[in-house]
Amino acid sequence: MVLAGPGVLDRGALDGLRTFAAVQGLGVANTWGAKGVFSWDSPHHLGTCGLQARDFALLGWADADAIIATGIDEAESPREHFALAEVIDIEPGDLAALASIAPETVDRRPPVDNHLYARLAAVARPGYVDEKVPLHPARAVADLGAVLPPGGLVAADPGVAGLWVARTFPTPALAPGEPRRVIVPARREAGVAVRLAAAAARAGRPAIAVTTGPLDDATNTMIDEAAAAALDLVIVVWGEIGDHPGPRADANATAHRGLVADALATPGPSIVQIPIAFEDTALLVQAAGEVVAWGGLT
């Protein structure tokens, strides 16, 4: 089994990983910093992992012969979380060369049972089309993926917003050299989602920051700075905003997508407030255990 971290993207090893997996017939799970190494429907894709306590056990890795780890960020996935079998560390830059090993020299067993993907899909798939208000978090995330233009970025603050974005943002396979479409930092930092979205906007990319209300001082400061610089970005606030009020998507479930799309077309920073059914986070906990990313949600 393979665990791919953000270093695969940072070091330009995406082609090497894909060739390695294809030639050797391997399944690849990615940490949330490596979303997009494979499309969701690729036969090599095992799912996004490292966010919750049971992720790696549900992947069946205790039954694996070995776990190949490449490009790992220990802040995302500490070794003690994923080392349920022998771990073989491979530098991302070495993947392409290793792909040339003749596959007939590899002694394969049948793949282990992956229960993680099915459990998470049982939460996400109905959530994507849920019509209730406040919105199912997966519906809110899917809407962002639907309206984000090509080349755009969604950045989410660690915590409940980051959990749902990292878990359920629908990520197509990235092209080699293509910038990430979604970033949820591995470490908590006040105001980081708006800071990352502002940096993307400065580079000319459509940008959305997702955070939770009420907004903290650092986030408010970043919004003020973005306004002073006339940066085109959207700040989506889950829950109550406090300062910086914006339009609310509480009329019906379809209002959210339209408000965000309108905000993306509006010059300068725009804020959209989204009522979210935060209690639905319990569905993820039931599926894969307590959140371990960022030290938990509290």
Side-chain angles (χ1 to χ4, degrees):
M1 319 296 291
V2 181
L3 177 62
V8 170
L9 300 176
D10 295 339
R11 298 168 207 171
L14 189 53
D15 275 343
L17 174 66
R18 290 173 177 167
T19 302
F20 180 64
V23 170
Q24 302 299 338
L26 297 171
V28 179
N30 58 266
T31 67
W32 71 91
K35 286 177 75 71
V37 293
F38 286 97
S39 64
W40 67 271
D41 56 352
S42 166
H44 298 289
H45 180 56
L46 300 180
T48 297
C49 58
L51 291 153
Q52 293 175 249
R54 299 188 63 207
D55 281 8
F56 297 107
L58 290 169
L59 281 167
W61 283 12
D63 296 323
D65 290 324
I67 298 159
I68 295 171
T70 184
I72 303 303
D73 179 351
E74 288 280 334
E76 278 191 335
S77 293
R79 185 167 295 256
E80 61 267 23
H81 287 183
F82 68 81
L84 305 187
E86 177 188 2
V87 176
I88 301 171
D89 292 294
I90 295 179
E91 287 295 319
D94 294 335
L95 290 167
L98 289 171
S100 65
I101 298 173
E104 54 267 24
T105 66
V106 179
D107 181 18
R108 290 197 188 88
R109 287 174 21 187
V112 300
D113 292 331
N114 176 8
H115 298 291
L116 179 65
Y117 198 90
R119 282 174 171 254
L120 296 176
V123 176
R125 285 175 181 164
Y128 288 149
V129 295
D130 199 315
E131 293 291 324
K132 71 183 179 186
V133 177
L135 272 66
H136 191 296
R139 171 63 182 266
V141 173
D143 285 349
L144 298 180
V147 301
L148 185 68
L153 172 72
V154 170
D157 277 326
V160 66
L163 171 66
W164 282 98
V165 169
R167 269 295 185 219
T168 64
F169 188 82
T171 310
L174 292 169
E178 180 183 359
R180 291 178 175 87
R181 286 174 55 84
V182 57
I183 297 177
V184 183
R187 297 173 177 85
R188 291 184 183 272
E189 177 190 341
V192 67
V194 178
R195 179 175 63 78
L196 291 169
R202 287 190 183 92
R205 300 178 64 189
I208 300 172
V210 187
T211 189
T212 54
L215 301 183
D216 57 47
D217 290 342
T219 298
N220 281 321
T221 297
M222 290 303 308
I223 293 172
D224 290 339
E225 291 178 0
L231 297 177
D232 298 336
L233 70 149
V234 180
I235 301 96
V236 174
V237 182
W238 288 10
E240 298 298 324
I241 291 181
D243 295 335
H244 293 288
R248 284 180 56 93
D250 54 6
N252 54 62
T254 60
H256 172 227
R257 185 177 298 192
L259 285 175
V260 176
D262 290 346
L264 282 167
T266 301
S270 299
I271 299 174
V272 178
Q273 184 177 354
I274 311 299
I276 292 289
F278 289 106
E279 64 273 13
D280 287 338
T281 303
L283 300 172
L284 287 182
V285 173
Q286 291 168 10
E290 294 295 328
V291 177
V292 294
W294 320 294
L297 294 182
T298 57

